[in-house]
Amino acid sequence: QVQLIESGGGLVQAGGSLRLSCVASGDSFGNYVMAWFHQAPGKEREFVAGISWSGIRTLYADSVKDRFTISRDSAKNTLYLQMNSLKPEDTAVYYCAARAGIGVKAVGGNYDYWGQGTQVTVSS
């Protein structure tokens, strides 16, 4: 049982930055693979970035690699997504997700727990 709460979304101009946070409570945070997904209006929920339970392995969608950085702080039970060089196409609701396991997965069905989402809007 894990509860996830995202924060940090907002409105930013293209080229700007935001840092999303996801605070987890419940089971041991360190034993969960964590990921960020996003969903734009009229589109399917898509994988953005994931991080292994150890924090060593990361995976990024092609659209965000070299711009976004996923990280985790086990002591604070918190997942982060640092988003730089934001583009209008990054506009979406961003969701934190967690799964029990050892591998980072890019498919949402592999994740057991989800946050409520936080809105990110990037203007041109």
Side-chain angles (χ1 to χ4, degrees), residues 1 5 14 18 25 32 61 70 77 84-85 92 101 105 108 113-114 122:
Q1 176 75 2
I5 302 176
L18 286 172
S25 62
Y32 284 84
I70 188 171
N77 290 338
N84 298 325
S85 301
K105 304 294 184 181
Y113 305 100
W114 295 84
V122 184

Side-chain angles (χ1 to χ4, degrees), residues 66-82:
D66 301 322
R67 298 190 298 121
F68 292 8
T69 302
I70 188 171
S71 61
R72 64 194 299 166
D73 186 337
S74 294
K76 296 181 178 180
N77 290 338
T78 302
L79 176 74
Y80 302 99
L81 184 67
Q82 179 65 48

Side-chain angles (χ1 to χ4, degrees), residues 3 9 16 26-27 29 41 47 64 74 80 87 90 98 104 115 117:
Q3 182 176 350
D27 292 345
F29 179 77
F47 175 80
V64 306
S74 294
Y80 302 99
K87 303 175 180 179
D90 296 320
V104 179

Side-chain angles (χ1 to χ4, degrees), residues 5-21:
I5 302 176
E6 304 100 329
S7 63
L11 175 64
V12 65
Q13 291 187 341
S17 298
L18 286 172
R19 190 193 194 199
L20 306 184
S21 298

Side-chain angles (χ1 to χ4, degrees), residues 5-122:
I5 302 176
E6 304 100 329
S7 63
L11 175 64
V12 65
Q13 291 187 341
S17 298
L18 286 172
R19 190 193 194 199
L20 306 184
S21 298
C22 172
V23 179
S25 62
D27 292 345
S28 178
F29 179 77
N31 291 330
Y32 284 84
V33 173
M34 304 292 293
W36 291 96
F37 289 76
H38 70 190
Q39 186 169 20
K43 300 192 69 177
E44 300 288 338
R45 188 171 298 186
E46 297 179 333
F47 175 80
V48 176
I51 188 167
S52 65
W53 65 265
S54 67
I56 296 174
R57 294 180 61 86
T58 58
L59 181 67
Y60 295 93
D62 288 344
S63 61
V64 306
K65 61 183 179 182
D66 301 322
R67 298 190 298 121
F68 292 8
T69 302
I70 188 171
S71 61
R72 64 194 299 166
D73 186 337
S74 294
K76 296 181 178 180
N77 290 338
T78 302
L79 176 74
Y80 302 99
L81 184 67
Q82 179 65 48
M83 304 186 294
N84 298 325
S85 301
L86 283 161
K87 303 175 180 179
E89 49 263 46
D90 296 320
T91 295
V93 177
Y94 283 72
Y95 297 90
C96 174
R99 67 180 291 264
I102 60 173
V104 179
K105 304 294 184 181
V107 178
N110 292 291
Y111 291 83
D112 304 300
Y113 305 100
W114 295 84
Q116 83 287 353
T118 185
Q119 177 71 47
V120 172
T121 303
V122 184

